[in-house]
Amino acid sequence: DAKTTQPPSMDCAEGRAANLPCNHSTISGNEYVYWYRQIHSQGPQYIIHGLKNNETNEMASLIITEDRKSSTLILPHATLRDTAVYYCIVNDYKLSFGAGTTVTVRA
Amino acid sequence: DTGVSQNPRHKITKRGQNVTFRCDPISEHNRLYWYRQTLGQGPEFLTYFQNEAQLEKSRLLSDRFSAERPKGSFSTLEIQRTEQGDSAMYLCASSLGSAAFSGNTIYFGEGSWLTVV
């Protein structure tokens, strides 16, 4: 399965959009990109996933580059409750979690 | 809410005792997964089932750990002769089929916290 690279941490202002990058340069053509987040002491929460096209749901938008080597998760209007660790995972049938990005939303 | 359910949510046990955690997956999900998470680390895969068959076990799953899914519905994870190093959150997840190459989603429960004293 393709490896992913995410920044270890990022801050975001409440009410602003949060753009979380993920590099997956070794992704193959039929591998999906999944995003999860984990709020302190809770189980991981599924956010969104995609293959080639951009995806949007009630939580977030996922933008995948045309060459599929990177993607960006967009939280359109970050709130304090979006403070969490965000994980980008490629395809893995059993989900191999890396270190993720610790996102802190500040008032 | 018909999400993944885990019980108990918290367990404190003395070293050397046995503990068992139960997981009820989302209805009709044929795959069930167990993970372990220690403080400051991401979840680590332990094992998974396709229906009642245990298809893969991680090296993390020592011989003191056993998982079952006898009727392809709920699952149990038992830890025998607990050690302090077993203190962690144990997560259960389920999916309708494989997440690989198919876009199926794996959904997690809230976890069961184990503290070994």
Side-chain angles (χ1 to χ4, degrees), chain A residues 1-37:
Chain A
D1 295 309
K3 300 291 185 184
T4 62
T5 303
Q6 299 179 252
S9 64
M10 63 183 296
D11 286 358
C12 176
E14 186 179 23
R16 303 294 294 271
N19 297 312
L20 283 62
C22 179
N23 288 324
H24 31 79
S25 59
T26 60
I27 193 170
S28 64
N30 55 356
E31 291 183 315
Y32 284 79
V33 180
Y34 288 84
W35 283 84
Y36 284 79
R37 74 180 183 183

Side-chain angles (χ1 to χ4, degrees), chain B residues 2-5 24-30 69 72-73 94-96:
Chain B
T2 56
V4 178
S5 177
D24 288 273
I26 294 172
S27 179
E28 299 182 355
H29 277 193
N30 55 0
R69 194 183 185 198
S73 56
S94 71
S95 67
L96 184 64

